Amino acid sequence: AQSVTQPDIHITVSEGASLELRCNYSYGATPYLFWYVQSPGQGLQLLLKYFSGDTLVQGIKGFEAEFKRSQSSFNLRKPSVHWSDAAEYFCAVGARGYNKLIFGAGTRLAVHP
Amino acid sequence: DVKVTQSSRYLVKRTGEKVFLECVQDMDHENMFWYRQDPGLGLRLIYFSYDVKMKEKGDIPEGYSVSREKKERFSLILESASTNQTSMYLCASSLRSQPQHFGDGTRLSIL
């Protein structure tokens, strides 16, 4: 069955520290992969996407993610976290065409000053 | 920028009422989606539409229906609202094979 797992429900980091959010997927075909961020009371904003090509993708707000096919992973990273990065982060996998997405349960990030 | 607008940010209805949630997008996107978001469960797809008057069930369609009479508008209908439909509802749209763009959500409470 197709699924997305985000193993960490909550993560707390200090401002300026590095960040890695984990995402593992189960998908039969070559997937499209996405990371979205949701600030409180808001909808989801696209951080970055992987469709094909270079497995290290750059996104907005200084985020990057690396697609590792052998590990079925698409982990999100940021070298130095800012207080404004506190939000909930969702990993998603989708198919070509209709782009129907399957979402992980989300990781809530807290940032200490 | 793509704009996906949901008609209400907050909505309170009573059990048994027929409830309409409206979503409008301004970028001529073929695909439109309705999700519900619950803590610990992420987003779950209720219905999606890939063209006017076309719809397909998502993972949790029970108790819901949809309508897409115009390309820019996608409506979610709760035929007879129940308390277990209290949730955050998110609408999204996309071009074929492109990322989805989301509205700000409607927080619906059924009393």
Side-chain angles (χ1 to χ4, degrees):
Chain A
Q2 300 165 359
S3 65
V4 177
T5 302
Q6 294 180 244
D8 304 304
I9 299 173
H10 295 279
I11 284 184
T12 300
V13 299
S14 298
E15 191 168 18
S18 63
L19 172 70
E20 183 170 33
L21 302 183
R22 295 182 291 164
C23 173
N24 293 96
Y25 67 90
S26 172
Y27 200 79
T30 300
Y32 287 173
L33 294 160
F34 306 85
W35 275 100
Y36 284 87
V37 61
Q38 185 180 35
S39 297
Q42 302 296 315
L44 275 67
Q45 180 184 21
L46 180 69
L47 282 176
L48 47 78
K49 62 183 184 291
Y50 172 78
F51 282 6
S52 65
D54 192 347
T55 57
L56 184 63
V57 294
Q58 302 298 320
I60 63 171
K61 306 185 182 192
F63 286 92
E64 67 178 25
E66 186 172 12
F67 170 53
K68 293 185 177 180
R69 185 187 301 274
S70 61
Q71 298 177 20
S72 297
S73 69
F74 189 56
N75 294 348
L76 182 71
R77 300 193 294 250
K78 187 170 185 178
S80 178
V81 171
H82 188 263
W83 64 266
S84 60
D85 293 324
E88 191 157 21
Y89 292 80
F90 292 94
C91 180
V93 61
R96 298 169 186 269
Y98 300 143
N99 198 16
K100 181 180 164 185
L101 295 181
I102 300 167
F103 283 85
T107 297
R108 186 169 296 278
L109 174 66
V111 180
H112 280 329
Chain B
D1 263 2
V2 177
K3 185 71 174 175
V4 179
T5 302
Q6 295 185 230
S7 54
S8 303
R9 292 298 303 272
Y10 301 93
L11 205 54
V12 180
K13 297 292 183 180
R14 296 202 174 275
T15 304
E17 279 192 69
K18 191 169 185 177
V19 180
F20 294 85
L21 303 184
E22 305 288 344
C23 175
V24 176
Q25 51 94 3
D26 66 356
M27 286 302 291
D28 204 35
H29 285 173
E30 297 97 341
N31 300 333
M32 295 190 75
F33 308 83
W34 274 108
Y35 296 90
R36 65 176 282 175
Q37 181 180 12
D38 300 289
L41 297 178
L43 278 72
R44 293 178 292 167
L45 182 64
I46 304 171
Y47 268 97
F48 70 102
S49 168
Y50 51 90
D51 202 349
V52 175
K53 296 189 186 295
M54 306 303 288
K55 61 186 179 184
E56 286 203 16
K57 293 179 180 179
D59 300 316
I60 52 164
E62 297 78 18
Y64 303 94
S65 62
V66 291
S67 172
R68 194 167 181 200
E69 296 296 319
K70 294 185 178 181
K71 192 173 186 179
E72 67 271 18
R73 186 179 298 270
F74 192 35
S75 302
L76 179 70
I77 304 154
L78 286 64
E79 297 290 344
S80 177
S82 64
T83 55
N84 63 12
Q85 292 178 309
T86 291
S87 187
M88 170 73 95
Y89 290 87
L90 290 165
C91 175
S93 71
S94 76
L95 291 168
R96 191 176 171 88
S97 297
Q98 292 299 315
Q100 295 180 22
H101 297 265
F102 285 81
D104 285 338
T106 296
R107 188 165 293 281
L108 175 64
S109 296
I110 307 295
L111 304 178

